[in-house]
Short mmCIF file of all heavy atoms in Angstrom, two decimals:
data_model
loop_
_atom_site.label_atom_id
_atom_site.label_comp_id
_atom_site.label_asym_id
_atom_site.label_seq_id
_atom_site.Cartn_x
_atom_site.Cartn_y
_atom_site.Cartn_z
N VAL A 620 -70.54 -67.79 -118.50
CA VAL A 620 -69.45 -67.54 -117.56
C VAL A 620 -69.21 -66.04 -117.51
O VAL A 620 -69.20 -65.36 -118.55
CB VAL A 620 -68.16 -68.27 -117.99
CG1 VAL A 620 -67.01 -67.94 -117.04
CG2 VAL A 620 -68.38 -69.78 -118.02
N ALA A 621 -69.06 -65.52 -116.31
CA ALA A 621 -68.80 -64.10 -116.14
C ALA A 621 -67.63 -63.89 -115.19
O ALA A 621 -67.47 -64.62 -114.22
CB ALA A 621 -70.04 -63.38 -115.62
N LEU A 622 -66.83 -62.89 -115.49
CA LEU A 622 -65.68 -62.54 -114.66
C LEU A 622 -65.92 -61.13 -114.13
O LEU A 622 -66.01 -60.17 -114.90
CB LEU A 622 -64.40 -62.60 -115.49
CG LEU A 622 -63.07 -62.72 -114.75
CD1 LEU A 622 -63.01 -64.02 -113.94
CD2 LEU A 622 -61.91 -62.66 -115.73
N ASP A 623 -66.09 -61.03 -112.80
CA ASP A 623 -66.45 -59.76 -112.17
C ASP A 623 -67.68 -59.14 -112.83
O ASP A 623 -67.75 -57.94 -113.07
CB ASP A 623 -65.28 -58.77 -112.23
CG ASP A 623 -64.28 -59.00 -111.09
OD1 ASP A 623 -64.63 -59.72 -110.13
OD2 ASP A 623 -63.17 -58.45 -111.16
N GLY A 624 -68.65 -60.00 -113.13
CA GLY A 624 -69.91 -59.53 -113.68
C GLY A 624 -69.92 -59.30 -115.18
O GLY A 624 -70.97 -59.01 -115.75
N LYS A 625 -68.78 -59.43 -115.84
CA LYS A 625 -68.70 -59.21 -117.28
C LYS A 625 -68.67 -60.56 -118.00
O LYS A 625 -67.80 -61.40 -117.73
CB LYS A 625 -67.45 -58.41 -117.63
CG LYS A 625 -67.43 -57.01 -117.03
CD LYS A 625 -66.15 -56.28 -117.39
CE LYS A 625 -66.13 -54.88 -116.77
NZ LYS A 625 -64.88 -54.14 -117.09
N PRO A 626 -69.64 -60.80 -118.91
CA PRO A 626 -69.71 -62.10 -119.58
C PRO A 626 -68.45 -62.41 -120.38
O PRO A 626 -67.88 -61.53 -121.04
CB PRO A 626 -70.92 -61.95 -120.52
CG PRO A 626 -71.72 -60.84 -119.93
CD PRO A 626 -70.73 -59.90 -119.31
N LEU A 627 -68.03 -63.66 -120.29
CA LEU A 627 -66.93 -64.16 -121.11
C LEU A 627 -67.55 -64.95 -122.26
O LEU A 627 -68.21 -65.97 -122.04
CB LEU A 627 -66.00 -65.06 -120.30
CG LEU A 627 -65.20 -64.41 -119.17
CD1 LEU A 627 -64.34 -65.45 -118.47
CD2 LEU A 627 -64.33 -63.29 -119.70
N THR A 628 -67.35 -64.50 -123.47
CA THR A 628 -68.01 -65.14 -124.61
C THR A 628 -67.09 -65.84 -125.60
O THR A 628 -67.53 -66.75 -126.29
CB THR A 628 -68.85 -64.10 -125.38
OG1 THR A 628 -68.01 -63.00 -125.75
CG2 THR A 628 -69.98 -63.58 -124.50
N PRO A 629 -65.83 -65.46 -125.73
CA PRO A 629 -65.02 -66.06 -126.81
C PRO A 629 -64.46 -67.44 -126.46
O PRO A 629 -63.24 -67.65 -126.42
CB PRO A 629 -63.89 -65.04 -127.01
CG PRO A 629 -63.68 -64.46 -125.65
CD PRO A 629 -65.04 -64.41 -125.02
N PHE A 630 -65.36 -68.38 -126.20
CA PHE A 630 -64.88 -69.74 -125.88
C PHE A 630 -64.56 -70.54 -127.14
O PHE A 630 -64.01 -71.63 -127.06
CB PHE A 630 -65.92 -70.48 -125.03
CG PHE A 630 -65.84 -70.14 -123.57
CD1 PHE A 630 -66.51 -69.03 -123.07
CD2 PHE A 630 -65.06 -70.88 -122.71
CE1 PHE A 630 -66.43 -68.70 -121.73
CE2 PHE A 630 -64.96 -70.55 -121.37
CZ PHE A 630 -65.65 -69.45 -120.88
N ARG A 631 -64.98 -70.02 -128.28
CA ARG A 631 -64.64 -70.59 -129.60
C ARG A 631 -65.34 -71.89 -129.92
O ARG A 631 -65.97 -72.02 -130.97
CB ARG A 631 -63.12 -70.76 -129.74
CG ARG A 631 -62.35 -69.46 -129.71
CD ARG A 631 -60.87 -69.72 -129.93
NE ARG A 631 -60.10 -68.48 -129.84
CZ ARG A 631 -58.78 -68.44 -129.88
NH1 ARG A 631 -58.08 -69.56 -130.03
NH2 ARG A 631 -58.15 -67.27 -129.77
N THR A 632 -65.23 -72.89 -129.06
CA THR A 632 -65.80 -74.20 -129.39
C THR A 632 -66.60 -74.75 -128.20
O THR A 632 -66.36 -74.40 -127.04
CB THR A 632 -64.70 -75.23 -129.74
OG1 THR A 632 -63.96 -75.54 -128.55
CG2 THR A 632 -63.76 -74.67 -130.80
N ASP A 633 -67.53 -75.65 -128.53
CA ASP A 633 -68.29 -76.32 -127.47
C ASP A 633 -67.40 -77.20 -126.61
O ASP A 633 -67.70 -77.42 -125.42
CB ASP A 633 -69.42 -77.17 -128.08
CG ASP A 633 -70.64 -76.33 -128.43
OD1 ASP A 633 -70.75 -75.19 -127.94
OD2 ASP A 633 -71.49 -76.82 -129.20
N LYS A 634 -66.32 -77.70 -127.16
CA LYS A 634 -65.44 -78.56 -126.37
C LYS A 634 -64.68 -77.73 -125.32
O LYS A 634 -64.41 -78.23 -124.22
CB LYS A 634 -64.47 -79.34 -127.26
CG LYS A 634 -65.21 -80.44 -128.04
CD LYS A 634 -64.30 -81.45 -128.65
CE LYS A 634 -65.12 -82.56 -129.32
NZ LYS A 634 -64.26 -83.60 -129.93
N ASN A 635 -64.37 -76.50 -125.64
CA ASN A 635 -63.78 -75.62 -124.62
C ASN A 635 -64.78 -75.38 -123.49
O ASN A 635 -64.42 -75.37 -122.31
CB ASN A 635 -63.36 -74.29 -125.24
CG ASN A 635 -62.15 -74.42 -126.14
OD1 ASN A 635 -61.46 -75.43 -126.13
ND2 ASN A 635 -61.89 -73.39 -126.94
N ARG A 636 -66.04 -75.15 -123.86
CA ARG A 636 -67.08 -74.96 -122.85
C ARG A 636 -67.26 -76.23 -122.03
O ARG A 636 -67.38 -76.18 -120.80
CB ARG A 636 -68.40 -74.58 -123.53
CG ARG A 636 -68.36 -73.27 -124.30
CD ARG A 636 -69.71 -72.97 -124.96
NE ARG A 636 -69.64 -71.75 -125.75
CZ ARG A 636 -69.30 -71.70 -127.03
NH1 ARG A 636 -69.03 -72.84 -127.68
NH2 ARG A 636 -69.24 -70.57 -127.68
N ALA A 637 -67.31 -77.36 -122.72
CA ALA A 637 -67.50 -78.63 -122.03
C ALA A 637 -66.35 -78.92 -121.08
O ALA A 637 -66.57 -79.42 -119.96
CB ALA A 637 -67.64 -79.76 -123.05
N LEU A 638 -65.14 -78.61 -121.49
CA LEU A 638 -63.97 -78.85 -120.64
C LEU A 638 -64.05 -78.05 -119.36
O LEU A 638 -63.83 -78.58 -118.25
CB LEU A 638 -62.69 -78.53 -121.40
CG LEU A 638 -61.37 -78.66 -120.62
CD1 LEU A 638 -61.18 -80.08 -120.10
CD2 LEU A 638 -60.19 -78.22 -121.48
N LEU A 639 -64.37 -76.75 -119.46
CA LEU A 639 -64.46 -75.94 -118.27
C LEU A 639 -65.61 -76.41 -117.37
O LEU A 639 -65.45 -76.50 -116.14
CB LEU A 639 -64.67 -74.47 -118.64
CG LEU A 639 -64.79 -73.51 -117.45
CD1 LEU A 639 -63.55 -73.57 -116.57
CD2 LEU A 639 -65.05 -72.08 -117.93
N ALA A 640 -66.76 -76.74 -117.97
CA ALA A 640 -67.90 -77.20 -117.17
C ALA A 640 -67.56 -78.50 -116.44
O ALA A 640 -67.88 -78.66 -115.25
CB ALA A 640 -69.12 -77.40 -118.07
N TYR A 641 -66.93 -79.42 -117.14
CA TYR A 641 -66.58 -80.71 -116.53
C TYR A 641 -65.59 -80.51 -115.38
O TYR A 641 -65.76 -81.07 -114.29
CB TYR A 641 -65.99 -81.64 -117.58
CG TYR A 641 -65.61 -83.00 -117.05
CD1 TYR A 641 -66.56 -83.99 -116.88
CD2 TYR A 641 -64.28 -83.29 -116.70
CE1 TYR A 641 -66.23 -85.24 -116.40
CE2 TYR A 641 -63.93 -84.53 -116.21
CZ TYR A 641 -64.90 -85.50 -116.06
OH TYR A 641 -64.56 -86.74 -115.56
N LEU A 642 -64.56 -79.73 -115.61
CA LEU A 642 -63.56 -79.49 -114.56
C LEU A 642 -64.19 -78.78 -113.36
O LEU A 642 -63.88 -79.11 -112.21
CB LEU A 642 -62.41 -78.66 -115.12
CG LEU A 642 -61.50 -79.36 -116.13
CD1 LEU A 642 -60.52 -78.37 -116.74
CD2 LEU A 642 -60.75 -80.52 -115.48
N ALA A 643 -65.07 -77.82 -113.63
CA ALA A 643 -65.70 -77.08 -112.54
C ALA A 643 -66.59 -77.98 -111.67
O ALA A 643 -66.55 -77.89 -110.44
CB ALA A 643 -66.52 -75.91 -113.10
N LEU A 644 -67.36 -78.85 -112.31
CA LEU A 644 -68.27 -79.70 -111.55
C LEU A 644 -67.57 -80.91 -110.93
O LEU A 644 -68.11 -81.53 -110.01
CB LEU A 644 -69.42 -80.17 -112.44
CG LEU A 644 -70.39 -79.07 -112.89
CD1 LEU A 644 -71.56 -79.68 -113.66
CD2 LEU A 644 -70.92 -78.27 -111.70
N GLU A 645 -66.40 -81.24 -111.44
CA GLU A 645 -65.63 -82.38 -110.91
C GLU A 645 -64.35 -81.86 -110.24
O GLU A 645 -63.28 -82.46 -110.36
CB GLU A 645 -65.30 -83.36 -112.03
CG GLU A 645 -66.52 -83.95 -112.73
CD GLU A 645 -67.33 -84.87 -111.84
OE1 GLU A 645 -66.75 -85.45 -110.89
OE2 GLU A 645 -68.55 -85.02 -112.09
N SER A 646 -64.49 -80.76 -109.52
CA SER A 646 -63.31 -80.09 -108.96
C SER A 646 -62.79 -80.74 -107.68
O SER A 646 -61.80 -80.26 -107.11
CB SER A 646 -63.64 -78.62 -108.67
OG SER A 646 -64.70 -78.52 -107.73
N ASP A 647 -63.41 -81.82 -107.25
CA ASP A 647 -62.97 -82.48 -106.02
C ASP A 647 -61.76 -83.38 -106.23
O ASP A 647 -61.25 -83.98 -105.29
CB ASP A 647 -64.12 -83.30 -105.42
CG ASP A 647 -64.62 -84.38 -106.36
OD1 ASP A 647 -64.43 -84.24 -107.60
OD2 ASP A 647 -65.21 -85.37 -105.89
N ARG A 648 -61.28 -83.47 -107.45
CA ARG A 648 -60.12 -84.34 -107.71
C ARG A 648 -59.33 -83.83 -108.92
O ARG A 648 -59.82 -83.02 -109.70
CB ARG A 648 -60.56 -85.78 -107.97
CG ARG A 648 -61.33 -85.97 -109.26
CD ARG A 648 -61.88 -87.38 -109.35
NE ARG A 648 -62.41 -87.69 -110.68
CZ ARG A 648 -63.60 -87.32 -111.12
NH1 ARG A 648 -64.39 -86.61 -110.34
NH2 ARG A 648 -64.01 -87.65 -112.34
N ARG A 649 -58.11 -84.34 -109.04
CA ARG A 649 -57.27 -84.03 -110.20
C ARG A 649 -57.58 -85.00 -111.32
O ARG A 649 -57.91 -86.16 -111.08
CB ARG A 649 -55.80 -84.11 -109.81
CG ARG A 649 -55.39 -83.14 -108.71
CD ARG A 649 -53.98 -83.41 -108.24
NE ARG A 649 -53.60 -82.52 -107.15
CZ ARG A 649 -52.46 -82.59 -106.49
NH1 ARG A 649 -51.58 -83.55 -106.80
NH2 ARG A 649 -52.19 -81.75 -105.51
N HIS A 650 -57.44 -84.53 -112.55
CA HIS A 650 -57.75 -85.35 -113.72
C HIS A 650 -56.51 -85.53 -114.57
O HIS A 650 -55.81 -84.55 -114.89
CB HIS A 650 -58.86 -84.69 -114.55
CG HIS A 650 -60.12 -84.44 -113.79
ND1 HIS A 650 -61.15 -85.36 -113.72
CD2 HIS A 650 -60.52 -83.37 -113.05
CE1 HIS A 650 -62.12 -84.87 -112.97
NE2 HIS A 650 -61.77 -83.68 -112.55
N ARG A 651 -56.24 -86.75 -114.92
CA ARG A 651 -55.09 -87.01 -115.80
C ARG A 651 -55.36 -86.42 -117.18
O ARG A 651 -56.48 -86.48 -117.69
CB ARG A 651 -54.84 -88.51 -115.91
CG ARG A 651 -54.33 -89.15 -114.63
CD ARG A 651 -54.01 -90.63 -114.85
NE ARG A 651 -55.19 -91.39 -115.28
CZ ARG A 651 -55.37 -91.85 -116.50
NH1 ARG A 651 -54.45 -91.65 -117.44
NH2 ARG A 651 -56.45 -92.54 -116.80
N ARG A 652 -54.34 -85.86 -117.77
CA ARG A 652 -54.49 -85.29 -119.10
C ARG A 652 -54.98 -86.33 -120.10
O ARG A 652 -55.80 -86.03 -120.98
CB ARG A 652 -53.16 -84.70 -119.58
CG ARG A 652 -52.83 -83.33 -118.99
CD ARG A 652 -51.46 -82.87 -119.48
NE ARG A 652 -51.16 -81.51 -119.04
CZ ARG A 652 -51.24 -80.43 -119.82
NH1 ARG A 652 -51.63 -80.55 -121.07
NH2 ARG A 652 -50.92 -79.24 -119.34
N GLU A 653 -54.47 -87.56 -119.99
CA GLU A 653 -54.89 -88.62 -120.92
C GLU A 653 -56.39 -88.87 -120.83
O GLU A 653 -57.07 -89.08 -121.84
CB GLU A 653 -54.13 -89.91 -120.64
CG GLU A 653 -52.64 -89.87 -120.95
CD GLU A 653 -51.83 -89.29 -119.79
OE1 GLU A 653 -52.43 -88.81 -118.80
OE2 GLU A 653 -50.58 -89.31 -119.89
N ALA A 654 -56.92 -88.83 -119.61
CA ALA A 654 -58.34 -89.09 -119.41
C ALA A 654 -59.18 -87.95 -120.01
O ALA A 654 -60.22 -88.21 -120.64
CB ALA A 654 -58.64 -89.25 -117.93
N LEU A 655 -58.74 -86.72 -119.82
CA LEU A 655 -59.48 -85.58 -120.38
C LEU A 655 -59.43 -85.59 -121.91
O LEU A 655 -60.43 -85.29 -122.57
CB LEU A 655 -58.90 -84.27 -119.85
CG LEU A 655 -59.10 -83.99 -118.36
CD1 LEU A 655 -58.34 -82.74 -117.94
CD2 LEU A 655 -60.59 -83.86 -118.01
N ALA A 656 -58.28 -85.93 -122.44
CA ALA A 656 -58.15 -86.00 -123.90
C ALA A 656 -59.08 -87.07 -124.47
O ALA A 656 -59.76 -86.86 -125.50
CB ALA A 656 -56.70 -86.29 -124.29
#
């Protein structure tokens, strides 16, 4: 992930990465917090 061309690296955990990837690819709808948890 890059912001204005600068890499963003401090995601800390794979689950943080997975969460952003899932939300980005499934951006056509809203997701209930319970479902994401």
Side-chain angles (χ1 to χ4, degrees):
V620 177
L622 200 62
D623 277 346
K625 297 179 181 179
L627 293 180
T628 55
F630 278 86
R631 296 183 183 174
T632 70
D633 279 344
K634 289 195 176 180
N635 289 347
R636 297 180 183 90
L638 177 60
L639 180 58
Y641 181 81
L642 290 172
L644 293 185
E645 300 292 334
S646 61
D647 60 336
R648 68 187 191 280
R649 299 172 183 175
H650 302 270
R651 291 184 300 108
R652 281 178 175 257
E653 292 85 353
L655 292 173

